[in-house]
Amino acid sequence: MTVPEEEDLSPDEDVWNHIDSGWQQAYDDIARKLAPETFEFYSKVAKLIVGMKSDLRIDASRAPIGEKLRSIFAEVPEGAERQVLTALLQWYSSGKDPWLTHAVDLQLASEGIGRSTDALKRFADFAPQFGNQSVPEKVLPYLRETVSAYLFGFDAACIALSRACLEQVGKDRLVKLGVFTAPQLRKDGPGLETITKKLKEANALDHSYEAAVRLRKRGNDILHDHLFPKKIRRQTALDAITDLTSVLRELLP
């Protein structure tokens, strides 16, 4: 490996600035070529379309949707919201208006850049650990999805996936310990509470047992009860990764 000369130790370019400047160039392009009122129209429609597709299911009668719609089209008759929204989605899906496609791309990119920039701050929140036992191949995708969810701000998904990681690695460990066979696990499908208790009984989960209990409880809350308040969601997700790290250290020494 070649070490740079001392005067070259600091890079001149910032990755995040270039990502942002690329978005800005695309933004300036549409802003320059369209009249201000037309540009504003496309921007509002794009934001509405991204919001609808992100929500997946749309209740057109909800007041906030009607308000957004009427900020674009002043005269939308009561009860006609669904038809107008459907027409907007069809307009975008047709791909026939390059300016609408461009405006939607800008809106999506803006949200993605925000998450990417935040990932830089979150990247320092935790560190990988070394061990003598490999992570089971089935568990690796869960771990990577869990970390990616945290880095890019999908905290509820991170919490749920941390629970899923525990379940997958717990099952694998119980099979290796001879407590269950793989066919038994597939047939009987023991819950995570049973899995953690069996691990404890087999002395495979001792000092990190409480961490496993917290992982299960947080995951169950997300899956079966409620999302954590937004103001504590990031810390709760980080706590889940910290507990998962502790459990992995014991189950995969």
Side-chain angles (χ1 to χ4, degrees):
M1 183 177 75
T2 303
V3 179
E5 296 295 331
E6 189 169 344
E7 63 271 17
D8 296 325
L9 285 178
S10 296
D12 295 323
E13 306 294 344
D14 185 284
V15 172
W16 306 105
N17 282 344
H18 279 281
I19 292 174
D20 190 60
S21 66
W23 180 90
Q24 190 64 51
Q25 288 177 29
Y27 176 92
D28 291 342
D29 180 51
I30 187 174
R32 183 177 63 255
K33 292 178 179 177
L34 297 180
E37 62 274 14
T38 306
F39 174 54
E40 182 182 9
F41 168 76
Y42 275 112
S43 296
K44 286 183 176 181
V45 172
K47 193 168 185 178
L48 187 60
I49 287 172
V50 171
M52 284 194 292
K53 288 178 76 72
S54 299
D55 287 344
L56 194 59
R57 185 174 173 84
I58 307 157
D59 179 359
S61 66
R62 288 183 63 237
I65 291 180
E67 290 168 6
K68 290 176 183 176
L69 196 53
R70 288 179 180 85
S71 74
I72 306 171
F73 306 99
E75 298 180 2
V76 176
E78 291 289 336
E81 295 89 353
R82 181 170 178 173
Q83 291 91 329
V84 177
L85 293 171
T86 299
L88 289 176
L89 286 169
Q90 289 173 343
W91 177 26
Y92 169 69
S93 297
S94 72
K96 294 179 179 179
D97 189 331
W99 290 117
L100 181 58
T101 300
H102 191 69
V104 170
D105 287 350
L106 278 171
Q107 180 62 33
L108 282 171
S110 176
E111 295 180 12
I113 289 170
R115 290 188 180 276
S116 296
T117 304
D118 197 39
L120 180 63
K121 303 171 187 174
R122 290 176 174 233
F123 195 64
D125 287 347
F126 54 89
Q129 62 180 30
F130 292 93
N132 297 318
Q133 191 172 142
S134 299
V135 175
E137 284 298 319
K138 187 177 180 180
V139 179
L140 275 174
Y142 284 87
L143 285 174
R144 289 172 182 147
E145 287 288 322
T146 301
V147 172
S148 293
Y150 178 76
L151 286 176
F152 292 100
F154 299 103
D155 295 322
C158 173
I159 295 165
L161 283 165
S162 294
R163 181 198 183 283
C165 284
L166 170 63
E167 185 168 346
Q168 293 299 327
V169 76
K171 287 178 178 178
D172 183 83
R173 187 75 173 126
L174 287 173
V175 169
K176 288 178 178 175
L177 289 169
V179 177
F180 291 110
T181 64
Q184 281 178 319
L185 287 175
R186 285 194 295 271
K187 180 182 177 182
D188 299 331
L192 186 53
E193 184 174 10
T194 299
I195 290 170
T196 52
K197 285 181 177 179
K198 290 292 185 183
L199 288 167
K200 186 173 177 62
E201 290 170 4
N203 297 317
L205 199 59
D206 185 15
H207 69 267
S208 62
Y209 178 73
E210 291 304 320
V213 171
R214 289 193 296 269
L215 281 169
R216 177 175 59 82
K217 185 179 184 308
R218 288 192 204 97
N220 286 350
D221 286 344
I222 289 286
L223 292 170
H224 307 301
D225 195 4
H226 62 86
L227 291 178
F228 292 97
K230 191 171 183 179
K231 64 182 179 180
I232 66 166
R233 209 175 293 162
R234 173 177 176 173
Q235 185 59 52
T236 306
L238 182 57
D239 290 343
I241 287 182
T242 301
D243 282 339
L244 181 61
T245 301
S246 176
V247 170
L248 291 175
R249 187 180 296 116
E250 189 166 11
L251 290 181
L252 302 171

